[in-house]
Amino acid sequence: MFVVSLTVLDHPLAKHLITGLRDAETEPFAFRRLARSLTTMLVLEATRDVPLRPVTVRTPIQETSAEVLGCPLAVVPILRAGLGMLEPVFDLFPEVAVGYIGLERSAETAVARSYYSKLPDFGGKYVLVVDPMLATGGSASQAIASVKQSGATQVTMVSVIASPEGVAKLQADHPDVPIVVGALDRGLNEKKYIVPGLGDFGDRLYATEH
Ligand code: PRP
Ligand code: URA
């Protein structure tokens, strides 16, 4: 089957922001700010193909033809870390519909367990699934399957950092889903953390590192 694209942001600012996120010395308040800025860049890239609809607008000078967004958007953050990517989506697309999926990886097996789901009908919507870390790809694959079950036909996965293993899993399970990431890292360690990665995104975002 045809496998759609992986896009890695290629912008100096994206690289600069990701370096700040990777730095173990970055405090939670700065980490949140960096995550917000980078998510704005990721979401702009991920929505490049949103269809447009022609309209007529009257400027102070004259009437002219113009364009507006042609289909409604939806975003699905994967709890908990994905919540750190939600506010920038609101800033860019204030009308966006929001679905929530709660998944937590087992510390032993790295297999994600579902603990919450609240999804709208996604029919006709351009859907972004947002989760900062695409490690084994298990969480993202489960989430996308649920989103498709709720009627989504146009889904894009948006992550801050991906591993080659996570990308391969998503492309195998959901070959129709484009992936937009800030960086593609080397691989996974024995605990299935991304290497070099940035550690546990949720813990760093919410100051729950122990
Ligand atoms: C992290 C991350 C992803 C998942 C990625 O969440 O935010 O959801 O792991 O790993 P995977 O690709 O191997 O499935 P975690 O389960 O630690 O929960 P949290 O967001 O509540 O911290
Ligand atoms: N979850 C994270 O937060 N970081 C990783 O590297 C892998 C999963």
Side-chain angles (χ1 to χ4, degrees), residues 31-32 34-37 39 77-88 130 132 201 205-206:
F31 191 91
R32 290 169 193 151
L34 291 163
R36 284 182 64 108
S37 301
T39 301
I78 302 179
L79 311 181
R80 137 195 91 136
L83 278 181
M85 301 174 75
L86 190 54
E87 283 292 329
V130 299
F201 196 101
L205 185 70
Y206 295 117

Side-chain angles (χ1 to χ4, degrees), residues 50-135:
V50 174
L52 290 168
R53 179 167 58 81
V55 293
T56 302
V57 67
R58 177 174 293 283
T59 78
I61 310 299
Q62 67 167 70
E63 196 172 275
T64 185
S65 52
E67 291 168 309
V68 293
L69 297 178
C71 96
L73 268 81
V75 61
V76 181
I78 302 179
L79 311 181
R80 137 195 91 136
L83 278 181
M85 301 174 75
L86 190 54
E87 283 292 329
V89 181
F90 288 158
D91 290 342
L92 292 169
F93 300 101
E95 314 279 317
V96 71
V98 187
Y100 293 90
I101 291 179
L103 290 170
E104 185 175 30
R105 289 200 327 175
S106 152
E108 284 75 41
T109 64
V111 174
R113 169 188 71 89
S114 165
Y115 61 88
Y116 186 73
S117 179
K118 184 98 178 172
L119 300 176
D121 179 359
F122 290 115
K125 293 194 172 70
Y126 193 102
V127 184
L128 305 178
V129 174
V130 299
D131 187 338
M133 305 306 275
L134 185 61

Side-chain angles (χ1 to χ4, degrees), residues 105 133 135 192-194 197-202:
R105 289 200 327 175
M133 305 306 275
K192 308 291 185 200
Y193 273 77
I194 298 176
L198 51 71
D200 188 306
F201 196 101

